[in-house]
Amino acid sequence: MLIILPPSETKAAGGDHPPLDLGALSFPGLTTVRRGLIEELASLSVDDTMAQLGLSEKLREQAAANQRLLSAPTLPAIHRYTGVLYDALDAGTLSDVSNLAIGSALFGVVRATDLIPCYRLSGGSKINGRTIKSRWGRTLSSELADVDELILDLRSGAYLSLGPAPEAVTLRVENPDGRVVSHFNKHYKGLVARHLAGVDAGGADEVVELLDAAGFDVRLDGSRITLVVG
């Protein structure tokens, strides 16, 4: 089972691994798009980057990071991203993250242990007038279609639209009254990923059994798992 997590706008700075090696990243079919995006981002001045990505002055250093994508130190992807979901996941305390991956506007999708630099790019961004979605086209979906295992896709919104995974199982977090949970959505997805990290499952029904055994209130609706909270 491959679990695809959403990324986060906030990221840990720095790193203690060598600079990015595009050829070493998982999902090599994404390399051409990755390289094109990196080259285009690196060609923009910091001011242009801030203007095109809609960043405020306090995020100037994050904009500058895009000019150092091939020279900056790296971190495993699972430790690069920060925020609510990653706090709940608490990857540093997990013994096995081999079945975790993260969606990304810049890299498409990377496995938890892939080494990546700090960067700033959102799924809904535009570079030189072109959307990130148009850059990925069908490339990301095609690559995910070749994954020979169950995919539990926890991405949503702009990141899911970059390349839906064919036949993936998805997760909806809702209140008892059926309303979608928004504020704590990422928190619960982080908890789900934590309980499923390092675990294999051959189908959505097995995932539901695993989560039910862990105390989650879940049900299966076709290819969608609904988690009821509150």
Side-chain angles (χ1 to χ4, degrees), residues 108-130:
V109 64
V110 289
R111 287 192 177 269
T113 54
D114 283 342
L115 300 175
I116 61 172
C118 189
Y119 69 93
R120 183 71 186 217
L121 188 66
S122 302
S125 299
K126 289 184 179 180
I127 306 175
N128 295 326
R130 287 188 60 197

Side-chain angles (χ1 to χ4, degrees), residues 137-148:
R138 296 187 57 80
T139 303
L140 182 52
S141 284
S142 296
E143 187 76 0
L144 292 175
D146 290 336
V147 174
D148 189 24

Side-chain angles (χ1 to χ4, degrees), residues 128-212:
N128 295 326
R130 287 188 60 197
T131 65
I132 302 303
K133 181 179 179 180
S134 71
R135 309 300 178 104
W136 284 107
R138 296 187 57 80
T139 303
L140 182 52
S141 284
S142 296
E143 187 76 0
L144 292 175
D146 290 336
V147 174
D148 189 24
E149 56 186 326
L150 175 71
I151 293 179
L152 176 60
D153 198 340
L154 302 185
R155 297 174 299 164
S156 59
Y159 292 98
L160 185 59
S161 72
L162 296 182
E167 301 183 12
V169 175
T170 58
L171 178 73
R172 171 188 169 97
V173 184
E174 65 178 41
N175 292 309
D177 61 5
R179 290 180 299 152
V180 174
V181 171
S182 56
H183 184 67
F184 290 105
N185 186 282
K186 291 183 177 180
H187 171 76
Y188 288 111
K189 285 183 175 180
L191 293 180
V192 165
R194 178 175 178 80
H195 281 283
L196 297 176
V199 177
D200 193 21
D205 54 343
E206 292 183 43
V207 175
V208 168
E209 290 176 4
L210 288 166
L211 292 176
D212 182 69

